[in-house]
Amino acid sequence: MTPTSEYPFRAETGGHAARRFHAEYGSPLPTMDLAARNTAAKVHRGAEVQALSYPPPAWSGVDPSSAEGLSTLLALLYGGNRIEWSRGGVGLGRSVPSGGGAYPGEVYVATEFGLCHYLPGAHALELLRPDDLRSDLAGCLSLAPESPPELLLLFTSRHDSNLARYGGFGHRLQALDTGVVAGQSSALLDAAGLRPRVHGIFDEDRLGKYLGLDQTAETVRAVVTAGPAILPGATTSVITRTPRRHTPRSGFAVAEIDRAQVLSILGEVAGTVEADFTSGADLRCVAGRVSGLGVGCHRFDGASGELTPGLAGVTPRELFAAGSFGELAGFEAACALLVVGDYEHGYATHGDRWYRLLNVSAGLLGLRISLAATGAGLAAGLRCDFIVAQADRIIGDEHPNRDPNRDRDRDRDRDRDRDRDRDRDQTVLLTVLIGHERAVPAPAYSLLPIEDGR
């Protein structure tokens, strides 16, 4: 498979390049080269390495004034938290998922004691510069914090990290991965009593120079700043009380879940994440085994907190290719929660950059869904291997059996038609399967002595 160099887009074309790229690489699932290897983790040769304690201290917050004060944050953000045994051998389980296990992203930290790069395998920080660059880095953001941030987390992608296996589709996975890590960091910082803000609009060239990046190979994809919370101690969200996801490593049990559990997850996710861009993403639920909810696709209304029936009779397995691992997982899962977005929504404002921003937002929402599911006592699996055309057909037919009596109400007709017009441009960006994990879990050993809320 030949890697593509057409993305990231360096010249602004008003979204035209992004449209062409997505049509060729970002929508159709690629023919994966499973023999291809992902690139090795990045190491800065000659940099001073500060080892962090492992296992780190129990989760009690964040102290940005010292490297050790960031140990638990970094372990839960991007580090290894378990050893797993499978037919493929023994592997290290990471705190967040990544498409194909590639982990194309790198995490950089800017604090008062310097600019550092995180080494997940060694659980250590590489000191790149001993200077306090927080104000300089914040000055590269389009929407700088009102006060100097206590901490900046900068997330990059190495462009060719997974292209040998996935081709151009790998760039979309990189954006989703960035969103997942940004969502995890936001939840952790919020839980620590800080005020996180996700930044997707910034001067990439300036940030890259500060980090010493070869920007033909690696660029900054998102920045999360953290400052004092507006209302200290007021956080009560399940997401911020649940620092670890619960992944169904053994698959899902074929069992029902309650409608109330689905609504609680969606209600938690609907809470806003402070960011310098608005994605306008929607949420859907494709219910298979949800008591009190009919089999089919349902639209979630964040304002009312209710689910509105759409296309009836469809189940999560129909999102995936016949005979695939995704179809099996979809059959076992109780429901699938879909993150739905509109590419055309943002090209006029953000140009080609919108392709990345929308997928970053999808990854962020997917991570929040998985944390909320853990808080509800369920397992969650993020999947990108759905068939876009099949998924879009499911969400596109929102009113398959229109009641003719509603035609008498012009206001309702107008609202309905507006929704249907919007749905024509909407597409499924990410699926999250929800359900109970099988009673007999896959062999694993937890490395972090941190309660995960289960």
Side-chain angles (χ1 to χ4, degrees), residues 226-422:
I230 300 175
L231 297 174
T235 297
T236 59
S237 167
V238 168
I239 290 174
T240 58
R241 295 198 307 269
T242 310
R244 284 201 291 186
R245 301 160 38 258
H246 179 31
T247 303
R249 295 185 296 275
S250 304
F252 292 100
V254 180
E256 280 192 345
I257 63 175
D258 296 330
R259 178 176 180 273
Q261 290 177 299
V262 175
L263 287 175
S264 71
I265 294 171
L266 292 170
E268 289 285 346
V269 174
T272 58
V273 174
E274 192 173 357
D276 64 356
F277 66 97
T278 302
S279 70
D282 288 334
L283 299 172
R284 303 288 199 282
C285 172
V286 179
R289 301 182 188 87
V290 181
S291 61
L293 200 60
V295 173
C297 183
H298 306 260
R299 180 202 292 271
F300 178 67
D301 183 346
S304 66
E306 294 297 328
L307 288 164
T308 302
L311 184 63
V314 291
T315 63
R317 69 184 298 179
E318 295 175 54
L319 297 163
F320 304 94
S324 66
F325 289 113
E327 185 191 35
L328 174 60
F331 167 74
E332 295 176 339
C335 72
L337 300 184
L338 313 181
V339 181
V340 176
D342 176 2
Y343 282 106
E344 293 302 317
H345 170 74
Y347 283 139
T349 302
H350 298 294
D352 293 321
R353 189 198 302 262
W354 177 247
Y355 183 76
R356 179 182 77 230
L357 293 176
L358 186 58
N359 283 291
V360 166
S361 176
L364 193 156
L365 288 173
L367 190 281
R368 289 176 67 85
I369 288 172
S370 64
L371 291 177
T374 301
L378 301 171
L382 279 67
R383 303 196 71 100
C384 305
D385 56 341
F386 57 93
I387 304 300
V388 173
Q390 294 176 191
D392 289 354
R393 177 187 64 82
I394 288 173
I395 67 166
D397 197 350
E398 292 287 347
H399 304 279
N401 296 308
R402 188 179 69 192
D403 182 354
N405 293 326
R406 293 183 64 185
D407 289 345
R408 301 171 184 172
D409 191 328
R410 294 183 179 179
D411 291 337
R412 290 186 180 181
D413 279 351
R414 185 181 62 241
D415 293 343
R416 181 196 65 233
D417 293 339
R418 184 187 61 225
D419 289 343
R420 296 188 72 170
D421 287 341
R422 181 182 63 177

Side-chain angles (χ1 to χ4, degrees), residues 58-203:
W59 173 248
S60 60
V62 176
D63 178 9
S65 65
S66 68
E68 193 58 39
L70 301 174
S71 178
T72 307
L73 169 71
L74 293 170
L76 285 171
L77 173 61
Y78 211 51
N81 62 28
R82 63 189 182 278
I83 298 174
E84 298 177 338
W85 285 263
S86 67
R87 286 178 294 180
V90 181
L92 179 68
R94 299 280 284 270
S95 299
V96 292
S98 172
Y103 292 96
E106 300 292 337
V107 177
Y108 296 81
V109 185
T111 70
E112 64 180 80
F113 59 83
L115 177 64
C116 304
H117 171 245
Y118 179 55
L119 296 174
H123 190 55
L125 284 173
E126 294 178 309
L127 182 62
L128 307 183
R129 297 178 62 173
D131 315 301
D132 185 352
L133 298 176
R134 291 175 294 176
S135 295
D136 302 89
L137 295 172
C140 299
L141 307 175
S142 68
L143 186 62
E146 292 84 357
S147 57
E150 296 184 20
L151 175 71
L152 288 92
L153 296 168
L154 301 99
F155 305 120
T156 70
S157 284
R158 290 169 290 130
H159 302 160
D160 64 349
S161 57
N162 53 4
L163 300 192
R165 175 173 289 188
Y166 294 105
F169 187 77
H171 286 304
R172 181 178 168 200
L173 294 178
Q174 291 171 23
L176 289 167
D177 278 10
T178 299
V180 166
V181 182
Q184 178 80 337
S185 65
S186 296
L188 291 168
L189 292 169
D190 198 1
L194 297 173
R195 180 188 177 187
R197 175 184 284 168
V198 179
H199 301 264
I201 306 173
F202 39 75
D203 188 329

